[in-house]
Amino acid sequence: MSDTLLASTRKGLFAIRRTAPDAWSVEGVSFLGDNVTLALVDARDGAWYAALDHGHFGAKVHRSRTGGATWEEVGTPAYPKPPEGHEEERDEFGRLIPWKLVRIWSLEAGLADQPGVLWAGTLPGGLFRSGDYGASWELVRSLWDHPSRRAWQGGGADYPGIHSICVDPRDGDRVTVGVSSGGAWRTEDGGGTWACCAQGMRAEYLPPERAYDPNSQDPHRIVQSPAAPDLFWTQHHNGIFRSTDDCRSWEELRDVPPSVFGFAVAAHPLDPGTAWFVPAIKDERRIPRDAKVVVTRTRDGGRTFEVLHNGLPQVHAYDLTWRHALAVDGTGDRLAFGSTTGSLWVTENGGDDWSTVSEHLPPVHAVTFVK
Amino acid sequence: MPRVVFTANLQRHVPCPPCTVEGSTARDVLDAAFAQLPKVRGYVLDEHGELRHHMVVFVNGQACADRRGLSDPVGPSDEIVVMQALSGG
Protein backbone atom coordinates (compact mmCIF):
# COMPACT_ATOMS: atom_id res chain seq x y z
CA MET A 1 0.00 0.00 0.00
CA SER A 2 1.58 3.26 -1.07
CA ASP A 3 0.80 6.61 0.51
CA THR A 4 2.99 8.70 -1.78
CA LEU A 5 3.01 9.28 -5.49
CA LEU A 6 5.11 11.39 -7.81
CA ALA A 7 3.67 13.41 -10.66
CA SER A 8 6.18 14.40 -13.34
CA THR A 9 4.95 17.55 -15.00
CA ARG A 10 5.91 20.23 -17.48
CA LYS A 11 6.86 22.45 -14.56
CA GLY A 12 8.32 20.19 -11.93
CA LEU A 13 8.15 16.92 -10.01
CA PHE A 14 5.34 16.97 -7.46
CA ALA A 15 5.27 14.69 -4.40
CA ILE A 16 1.72 13.92 -3.35
CA ARG A 17 0.91 12.35 0.00
CA ARG A 18 -2.17 10.65 1.36
CA THR A 19 -3.34 12.66 4.38
CA ALA A 20 -6.59 10.82 5.14
CA PRO A 21 -8.77 8.22 3.43
CA ASP A 22 -9.40 9.42 -0.15
CA ALA A 23 -7.58 12.66 0.60
CA TRP A 24 -4.27 13.30 -1.18
CA SER A 25 -2.47 16.61 -1.40
CA VAL A 26 0.67 18.09 -2.84
CA GLU A 27 3.39 17.93 -0.22
CA GLY A 28 6.35 19.29 -2.14
CA VAL A 29 7.86 19.97 -5.50
CA SER A 30 11.32 19.43 -6.94
CA PHE A 31 12.67 21.16 -10.06
CA LEU A 32 9.89 23.77 -9.99
CA GLY A 33 9.67 25.38 -13.41
CA ASP A 34 11.58 22.61 -15.18
CA ASN A 35 10.19 19.99 -17.53
CA VAL A 36 10.29 16.63 -15.73
CA THR A 37 9.40 14.03 -18.30
CA LEU A 38 9.25 11.04 -15.97
CA ALA A 39 10.42 9.62 -12.67
CA LEU A 40 11.50 6.20 -11.48
CA VAL A 41 11.25 4.96 -7.91
CA ASP A 42 13.76 2.15 -7.49
CA ALA A 43 12.20 -0.37 -5.12
CA ARG A 44 15.61 -2.00 -4.52
CA ASP A 45 17.14 0.91 -2.63
CA GLY A 46 14.42 3.56 -2.45
CA ALA A 47 16.25 5.96 -4.78
CA TRP A 48 14.23 8.34 -6.93
CA TYR A 49 15.33 9.19 -10.45
CA ALA A 50 13.99 12.12 -12.45
CA ALA A 51 14.43 12.65 -16.19
CA LEU A 52 14.50 16.31 -17.14
CA ASP A 53 14.23 17.90 -20.53
CA HIS A 54 15.79 21.32 -20.36
CA GLY A 55 15.11 22.04 -24.00
CA HIS A 56 18.00 24.30 -24.97
CA PHE A 57 20.29 22.63 -22.43
CA GLY A 58 19.38 19.04 -23.27
CA ALA A 59 18.00 16.08 -21.33
CA LYS A 60 19.46 15.16 -17.93
CA VAL A 61 19.00 12.55 -15.19
CA HIS A 62 18.96 13.39 -11.48
CA ARG A 63 18.88 11.01 -8.49
CA SER A 64 17.67 11.51 -4.94
CA ARG A 65 18.55 9.20 -2.11
CA THR A 66 16.70 11.41 0.37
CA GLY A 67 13.12 11.06 -0.82
CA GLY A 68 13.30 14.21 -2.90
CA ALA A 69 14.88 16.43 -0.23
CA THR A 70 18.13 16.65 -2.19
CA TRP A 71 19.08 15.72 -5.74
CA GLU A 72 22.30 15.14 -7.63
CA GLU A 73 22.77 15.04 -11.37
CA VAL A 74 24.00 11.65 -12.56
CA GLY A 75 25.17 10.60 -16.00
CA THR A 76 23.35 11.47 -19.20
CA PRO A 77 22.85 8.81 -21.85
CA ALA A 78 25.02 9.82 -24.80
CA TYR A 79 24.96 8.52 -28.34
CA PRO A 80 28.29 7.76 -29.97
CA LYS A 81 29.30 9.51 -33.15
CA PRO A 82 28.29 7.56 -36.25
CA PRO A 83 31.18 5.60 -37.74
CA GLU A 84 33.25 7.21 -40.46
CA GLY A 85 31.45 7.05 -43.79
CA HIS A 86 28.05 6.38 -42.19
CA GLU A 87 25.35 7.68 -44.48
CA GLU A 88 22.71 10.02 -43.10
CA GLU A 89 19.69 8.23 -41.68
CA ARG A 90 16.23 9.38 -42.73
CA ASP A 91 12.86 7.84 -41.99
CA GLU A 92 10.15 7.25 -44.59
CA PHE A 93 8.93 10.82 -44.12
CA GLY A 94 12.40 12.08 -44.98
CA ARG A 95 13.18 13.20 -41.46
CA LEU A 96 16.80 13.05 -40.40
CA ILE A 97 17.39 10.63 -37.51
CA PRO A 98 20.21 12.03 -35.38
CA TRP A 99 22.66 9.94 -33.38
CA LYS A 100 22.00 12.25 -30.45
CA LEU A 101 19.88 12.14 -27.32
CA VAL A 102 16.58 13.93 -27.89
CA ARG A 103 14.52 12.80 -24.91
CA ILE A 104 14.55 10.18 -22.16
CA TRP A 105 11.25 8.37 -22.64
CA SER A 106 11.45 5.46 -20.20
CA LEU A 107 13.43 4.52 -17.11
CA GLU A 108 13.27 1.14 -15.40
CA ALA A 109 15.23 -0.70 -12.74
CA GLY A 110 16.76 -4.15 -13.02
CA LEU A 111 15.89 -6.92 -10.59
CA ALA A 112 16.99 -7.24 -6.99
CA ASP A 113 19.87 -9.51 -8.03
CA GLN A 114 21.11 -6.81 -10.47
CA PRO A 115 22.10 -3.97 -8.13
CA GLY A 116 22.76 -0.73 -9.94
CA VAL A 117 21.26 -1.87 -13.23
CA LEU A 118 18.98 0.68 -14.88
CA TRP A 119 17.52 0.85 -18.38
CA ALA A 120 16.65 4.03 -20.25
CA GLY A 121 14.66 4.23 -23.46
CA THR A 122 15.12 7.33 -25.53
CA LEU A 123 14.22 9.28 -28.62
CA PRO A 124 15.48 8.76 -31.34
CA GLY A 125 15.25 5.04 -30.54
CA GLY A 126 18.31 4.10 -28.51
CA LEU A 127 18.13 1.89 -25.44
CA PHE A 128 20.74 2.55 -22.75
CA ARG A 129 21.92 0.41 -19.84
CA SER A 130 23.60 1.55 -16.67
CA GLY A 131 25.36 -0.78 -14.26
CA ASP A 132 26.21 1.90 -11.70
CA TYR A 133 22.96 3.52 -10.60
CA GLY A 134 22.96 5.94 -13.51
CA ALA A 135 26.48 7.31 -13.07
CA SER A 136 27.25 6.13 -16.61
CA TRP A 137 25.19 4.76 -19.48
CA GLU A 138 26.00 2.64 -22.48
CA LEU A 139 24.01 2.50 -25.69
CA VAL A 140 22.79 -1.05 -26.31
CA ARG A 141 24.47 -1.38 -29.68
CA SER A 142 22.94 -4.75 -30.51
CA LEU A 143 19.52 -3.09 -30.80
CA TRP A 144 20.67 0.25 -32.21
CA ASP A 145 22.74 -1.54 -34.88
CA HIS A 146 20.00 -4.05 -35.73
CA PRO A 147 19.16 -3.55 -39.41
CA SER A 148 15.44 -3.38 -38.64
CA ARG A 149 15.95 -0.40 -36.33
CA ARG A 150 16.51 1.77 -39.36
CA ALA A 151 12.90 1.12 -40.40
CA TRP A 152 11.45 2.57 -37.18
CA GLN A 153 9.36 5.70 -37.65
CA GLY A 154 8.40 8.62 -35.53
CA GLY A 155 4.88 8.35 -34.17
CA GLY A 156 3.57 11.31 -32.23
CA ALA A 157 7.11 12.60 -32.00
CA ASP A 158 9.41 13.42 -34.88
CA TYR A 159 11.68 10.52 -34.02
CA PRO A 160 11.14 6.88 -33.04
CA GLY A 161 11.35 6.25 -29.32
CA ILE A 162 11.40 3.52 -26.68
CA HIS A 163 8.66 4.26 -24.17
CA SER A 164 8.19 0.90 -22.47
CA ILE A 165 10.76 -1.34 -20.81
CA CYS A 166 9.49 -4.55 -19.22
CA VAL A 167 12.10 -6.36 -17.13
CA ASP A 168 10.89 -9.93 -16.67
CA PRO A 169 10.42 -10.50 -12.92
CA ARG A 170 11.62 -14.11 -13.40
CA ASP A 171 14.88 -13.24 -15.14
CA GLY A 172 16.36 -9.77 -15.44
CA ASP A 173 18.19 -10.66 -18.63
CA ARG A 174 14.83 -11.00 -20.37
CA VAL A 175 13.73 -7.50 -21.32
CA THR A 176 10.92 -6.42 -23.64
CA VAL A 177 10.77 -2.89 -25.01
CA GLY A 178 7.98 -1.05 -26.80
CA VAL A 179 8.79 1.29 -29.65
CA SER A 180 6.74 4.05 -31.29
CA SER A 181 6.80 3.10 -34.08
CA GLY A 182 8.80 -0.08 -34.18
CA GLY A 183 6.66 -2.70 -32.46
CA ALA A 184 7.94 -4.71 -29.51
CA TRP A 185 11.45 -6.12 -29.14
CA ARG A 186 12.80 -8.79 -26.82
CA THR A 187 16.20 -9.79 -25.55
CA GLU A 188 16.73 -13.05 -23.70
CA ASP A 189 20.37 -12.45 -22.92
CA GLY A 190 20.61 -9.11 -21.18
CA GLY A 191 20.73 -7.10 -24.39
CA GLY A 192 23.13 -9.23 -26.43
CA THR A 193 20.63 -10.13 -29.13
CA TRP A 194 17.15 -8.89 -30.00
CA ALA A 195 14.09 -10.08 -31.93
CA CYS A 196 10.92 -8.28 -32.88
CA CYS A 197 7.94 -9.72 -31.01
CA ALA A 198 4.88 -7.83 -32.24
CA GLN A 199 3.32 -10.59 -34.34
CA GLY A 200 -0.43 -10.05 -34.44
CA MET A 201 -0.46 -6.32 -33.86
CA ARG A 202 -2.33 -4.46 -36.57
CA ALA A 203 -1.79 -0.91 -37.77
CA GLU A 204 -4.97 0.21 -39.51
CA TYR A 205 -3.43 3.48 -40.65
CA LEU A 206 -0.76 1.80 -42.78
CA PRO A 207 -1.18 0.58 -46.34
CA PRO A 208 -2.96 -2.81 -46.18
CA GLU A 209 0.09 -4.82 -47.15
CA ARG A 210 1.99 -3.28 -44.23
CA ALA A 211 -0.79 -3.47 -41.64
CA TYR A 212 0.58 -6.53 -39.87
CA ASP A 213 4.28 -5.75 -40.24
CA PRO A 214 5.54 -6.28 -36.68
CA ASN A 215 8.31 -3.70 -37.01
CA SER A 216 5.91 -0.96 -38.14
CA GLN A 217 3.52 -1.14 -35.20
CA ASP A 218 2.84 1.79 -32.92
CA PRO A 219 2.27 0.47 -29.42
CA HIS A 220 1.67 3.48 -27.20
CA ARG A 221 2.44 1.57 -24.03
CA ILE A 222 3.31 -2.05 -23.19
CA VAL A 223 3.10 -3.50 -19.67
CA GLN A 224 3.89 -6.96 -18.36
CA SER A 225 1.75 -8.61 -15.72
CA PRO A 226 3.80 -8.97 -12.53
CA ALA A 227 1.45 -11.73 -11.43
CA ALA A 228 1.64 -13.78 -14.64
CA PRO A 229 4.68 -12.62 -16.57
CA ASP A 230 3.72 -14.42 -19.79
CA LEU A 231 0.84 -11.94 -20.01
CA PHE A 232 1.35 -8.55 -21.64
CA TRP A 233 -1.05 -5.70 -22.39
CA THR A 234 -0.59 -3.10 -25.10
CA GLN A 235 -2.46 0.12 -25.64
CA HIS A 236 -1.73 0.54 -29.32
CA HIS A 237 -2.39 3.47 -31.60
CA ASN A 238 -5.54 1.89 -32.96
CA GLY A 239 -6.43 -0.84 -30.53
CA ILE A 240 -5.90 -2.83 -27.40
CA PHE A 241 -3.79 -5.97 -27.73
CA ARG A 242 -3.01 -8.78 -25.32
CA SER A 243 -0.39 -11.49 -25.39
CA THR A 244 -0.79 -14.55 -23.21
CA ASP A 245 2.22 -16.39 -24.60
CA ASP A 246 5.13 -14.17 -23.63
CA CYS A 247 4.87 -11.95 -26.72
CA ARG A 248 5.06 -14.78 -29.23
CA SER A 249 1.69 -13.58 -30.53
CA TRP A 250 -0.75 -10.72 -29.89
CA GLU A 251 -4.53 -10.77 -30.01
CA GLU A 252 -6.57 -7.65 -30.72
CA LEU A 253 -9.41 -6.98 -28.28
CA ARG A 254 -12.19 -5.34 -30.25
CA ASP A 255 -15.33 -3.47 -29.25
CA VAL A 256 -13.88 -2.11 -26.04
CA PRO A 257 -16.06 0.73 -24.76
CA PRO A 258 -15.96 3.68 -25.14
CA SER A 259 -12.89 3.65 -27.44
CA VAL A 260 -9.89 1.52 -28.21
CA PHE A 261 -7.68 4.59 -28.63
CA GLY A 262 -5.55 5.82 -25.77
CA PHE A 263 -2.03 5.86 -24.44
CA ALA A 264 -1.94 4.39 -20.95
CA VAL A 265 -2.39 0.89 -19.57
CA ALA A 266 -1.69 -0.55 -16.13
CA ALA A 267 -1.62 -4.21 -15.11
CA HIS A 268 -2.83 -5.35 -11.71
CA PRO A 269 0.17 -6.40 -9.61
CA LEU A 270 -1.52 -9.49 -8.15
CA ASP A 271 -4.49 -10.39 -10.36
CA PRO A 272 -3.54 -11.24 -13.94
CA GLY A 273 -7.10 -10.78 -15.14
CA THR A 274 -7.27 -7.11 -14.24
CA ALA A 275 -5.96 -4.16 -16.22
CA TRP A 276 -6.92 -0.51 -16.66
CA PHE A 277 -6.89 1.86 -19.64
CA VAL A 278 -7.69 5.56 -20.08
CA PRO A 279 -9.49 5.89 -23.40
CA ALA A 280 -9.91 8.84 -25.74
CA ILE A 281 -11.22 9.55 -29.19
CA LYS A 282 -8.63 8.61 -31.71
CA ASP A 283 -6.64 10.16 -33.40
CA GLU A 284 -7.31 13.36 -35.08
CA ARG A 285 -8.93 14.86 -31.98
CA ARG A 286 -7.46 13.14 -28.93
CA ILE A 287 -10.02 14.15 -26.36
CA PRO A 288 -12.22 12.02 -24.11
CA ARG A 289 -15.28 10.52 -25.77
CA ASP A 290 -18.23 12.89 -25.24
CA ALA A 291 -15.92 15.09 -23.12
CA LYS A 292 -16.27 12.65 -20.21
CA VAL A 293 -13.15 11.39 -18.42
CA VAL A 294 -13.38 7.66 -17.78
CA VAL A 295 -11.17 4.68 -17.01
CA THR A 296 -11.86 1.28 -18.52
CA ARG A 297 -11.17 -1.85 -16.52
CA THR A 298 -11.21 -5.50 -17.35
CA ARG A 299 -11.32 -8.08 -14.58
CA ASP A 300 -11.62 -11.14 -16.76
CA GLY A 301 -8.48 -10.98 -18.84
CA GLY A 302 -9.93 -8.73 -21.53
CA ARG A 303 -13.17 -10.57 -22.32
CA THR A 304 -15.29 -7.71 -20.93
CA PHE A 305 -14.62 -4.13 -19.89
CA GLU A 306 -16.30 -1.78 -17.43
CA VAL A 307 -16.35 1.99 -17.87
CA LEU A 308 -15.52 3.66 -14.56
CA HIS A 309 -16.46 7.27 -13.95
CA ASN A 310 -17.49 7.85 -10.33
CA GLY A 311 -15.76 11.00 -9.19
CA LEU A 312 -14.37 11.86 -12.64
CA PRO A 313 -15.52 14.94 -14.59
CA GLN A 314 -18.36 14.13 -16.98
CA VAL A 315 -19.08 17.53 -18.50
CA HIS A 316 -16.81 19.45 -20.87
CA ALA A 317 -13.69 17.63 -19.74
CA TYR A 318 -10.89 17.57 -22.32
CA ASP A 319 -8.20 15.84 -20.31
CA LEU A 320 -5.90 13.52 -22.20
CA THR A 321 -3.74 11.03 -20.33
CA TRP A 322 -0.32 10.26 -21.72
CA ARG A 323 1.26 6.83 -21.75
CA HIS A 324 3.15 7.10 -18.46
CA ALA A 325 0.50 9.03 -16.54
CA LEU A 326 -1.46 6.05 -15.16
CA ALA A 327 0.01 4.10 -12.26
CA VAL A 328 -1.07 1.36 -9.87
CA ASP A 329 0.41 0.63 -6.46
CA GLY A 330 1.57 -2.73 -5.13
CA THR A 331 -1.87 -3.78 -3.94
CA GLY A 332 -3.88 -3.00 -7.04
CA ASP A 333 -6.33 -0.98 -4.97
CA ARG A 334 -4.74 2.41 -5.42
CA LEU A 335 -4.31 3.98 -8.82
CA ALA A 336 -3.57 7.48 -9.98
CA PHE A 337 -3.72 9.18 -13.33
CA GLY A 338 -2.93 12.66 -14.52
CA SER A 339 -3.80 14.65 -17.59
CA THR A 340 -2.48 17.11 -20.10
CA THR A 341 -4.66 19.79 -18.52
CA GLY A 342 -3.14 19.35 -15.10
CA SER A 343 -5.73 17.20 -13.41
CA LEU A 344 -4.77 14.34 -11.14
CA TRP A 345 -7.11 11.71 -9.72
CA VAL A 346 -6.66 8.79 -7.32
CA THR A 347 -8.74 5.78 -6.39
CA GLU A 348 -8.41 3.56 -3.36
CA ASN A 349 -10.77 0.84 -4.52
CA GLY A 350 -9.40 -0.23 -7.87
CA GLY A 351 -11.18 2.43 -9.86
CA ASP A 352 -14.75 2.16 -8.58
CA ASP A 353 -14.51 5.67 -7.09
CA TRP A 354 -12.08 8.47 -7.82
CA SER A 355 -11.15 11.62 -5.93
CA THR A 356 -9.53 14.72 -7.35
CA VAL A 357 -6.06 15.61 -6.11
CA SER A 358 -5.76 18.74 -8.23
CA GLU A 359 -7.15 20.31 -11.37
CA HIS A 360 -4.42 22.90 -11.55
CA LEU A 361 -1.11 21.13 -11.88
CA PRO A 362 1.07 21.74 -14.92
CA PRO A 363 0.52 19.23 -17.74
CA VAL A 364 1.20 15.77 -16.28
CA HIS A 365 3.64 13.59 -18.21
CA ALA A 366 3.96 10.68 -15.79
CA VAL A 367 2.73 9.32 -12.48
CA THR A 368 4.36 6.72 -10.26
CA PHE A 369 3.82 5.46 -6.74
CA VAL A 370 6.59 5.45 -4.17
CA LYS A 371 6.90 1.80 -3.20
CA MET B 1 43.45 35.73 -20.79
CA PRO B 2 39.92 35.60 -22.27
CA ARG B 3 37.02 35.67 -19.87
CA VAL B 4 33.99 33.37 -20.18
CA VAL B 5 30.57 34.33 -18.85
CA PHE B 6 27.56 32.02 -18.82
CA THR B 7 23.91 33.04 -19.02
CA ALA B 8 22.12 33.39 -15.70
CA ASN B 9 19.52 30.90 -16.93
CA LEU B 10 22.17 28.22 -16.92
CA GLN B 11 23.28 29.09 -13.37
CA ARG B 12 19.89 27.85 -12.21
CA HIS B 13 20.72 24.31 -13.32
CA VAL B 14 24.44 24.02 -12.79
CA PRO B 15 26.99 26.27 -11.09
CA CYS B 16 28.96 28.17 -13.73
CA PRO B 17 30.68 31.28 -12.41
CA PRO B 18 32.65 33.45 -14.83
CA CYS B 19 36.14 32.15 -15.45
CA THR B 20 39.35 33.29 -17.10
CA VAL B 21 41.11 30.69 -19.22
CA GLU B 22 43.70 30.28 -21.97
CA GLY B 23 42.83 29.87 -25.63
CA SER B 24 42.98 31.46 -29.05
CA THR B 25 39.69 30.23 -30.54
CA ALA B 26 36.21 30.02 -29.09
CA ARG B 27 36.53 26.22 -29.06
CA ASP B 28 39.84 26.31 -27.17
CA VAL B 29 38.50 28.75 -24.63
CA LEU B 30 35.29 26.80 -24.04
CA ASP B 31 37.22 23.52 -23.72
CA ALA B 32 39.42 25.15 -21.11
CA ALA B 33 36.38 26.50 -19.27
CA PHE B 34 34.72 23.06 -19.32
CA ALA B 35 37.90 21.53 -17.92
CA GLN B 36 37.27 23.70 -14.86
CA LEU B 37 33.49 23.21 -14.94
CA PRO B 38 32.94 19.70 -16.31
CA LYS B 39 29.22 19.54 -15.52
CA VAL B 40 28.54 22.60 -17.67
CA ARG B 41 29.81 21.05 -20.88
CA GLY B 42 26.72 18.91 -21.52
CA TYR B 43 24.42 21.90 -21.08
CA VAL B 44 26.17 23.96 -23.75
CA LEU B 45 27.43 21.28 -26.14
CA ASP B 46 25.77 18.03 -27.17
CA GLU B 47 27.39 14.62 -26.83
CA HIS B 48 29.36 15.17 -30.04
CA GLY B 49 30.78 18.47 -28.88
CA GLU B 50 28.55 20.57 -31.11
CA LEU B 51 26.86 23.71 -29.86
CA ARG B 52 23.31 22.86 -28.81
CA HIS B 53 20.64 23.98 -31.21
CA HIS B 54 19.40 27.07 -29.38
CA MET B 55 22.68 28.06 -27.80
CA VAL B 56 24.82 30.90 -29.05
CA VAL B 57 28.39 31.94 -28.26
CA PHE B 58 29.35 35.61 -28.51
CA VAL B 59 32.89 36.89 -28.78
CA ASN B 60 32.94 40.55 -27.78
CA GLY B 61 29.28 40.81 -28.66
CA GLN B 62 29.51 39.09 -32.04
CA ALA B 63 27.94 35.67 -32.49
CA CYS B 64 30.45 33.05 -33.58
CA ALA B 65 30.42 32.73 -37.34
CA ASP B 66 31.51 29.10 -37.16
CA ARG B 67 28.77 27.57 -35.03
CA ARG B 68 29.93 24.03 -35.79
CA GLY B 69 33.67 24.30 -35.33
CA LEU B 70 33.74 27.35 -33.02
CA SER B 71 36.98 28.31 -34.74
CA ASP B 72 36.40 32.05 -34.35
CA PRO B 73 39.57 33.74 -33.09
CA VAL B 74 39.71 35.00 -29.52
CA GLY B 75 42.20 37.58 -28.23
CA PRO B 76 43.71 37.68 -24.76
CA SER B 77 41.44 40.45 -23.53
CA ASP B 78 38.25 39.23 -25.22
CA GLU B 79 35.06 38.21 -23.45
CA ILE B 80 33.04 35.17 -24.45
CA VAL B 81 29.37 35.10 -23.47
CA VAL B 82 27.43 31.82 -23.65
CA MET B 83 23.70 32.42 -24.07
CA GLN B 84 20.55 30.67 -25.15
CA ALA B 85 17.31 31.64 -26.81
CA LEU B 86 14.33 31.91 -24.48
CA SER B 87 10.95 30.62 -25.52
CA GLY B 88 7.93 28.71 -24.32
CA GLY B 89 5.26 29.28 -21.75
Side-chain angles (χ1 to χ4, degrees), chain A residues 151-171:
Chain A
W152 294 356
Q153 303 286 323
D158 278 348
Y159 307 111
I162 294 175
H163 48 65
S164 299
I165 301 169
C166 306
V167 180
D168 192 315
R170 301 164 295 195
D171 177 354

Side-chain angles (χ1 to χ4, degrees), chain A residues 304-328:
Chain A
T304 62
F305 287 81
E306 307 160 82
V307 179
L308 310 170
H309 58 78
N310 284 344
L312 298 174
Q314 299 300 293
V315 179
H316 281 301
Y318 302 102
D319 299 77
L320 185 71
T321 294
W322 288 129
R323 68 199 79 237
H324 302 117
L326 167 69
V328 59

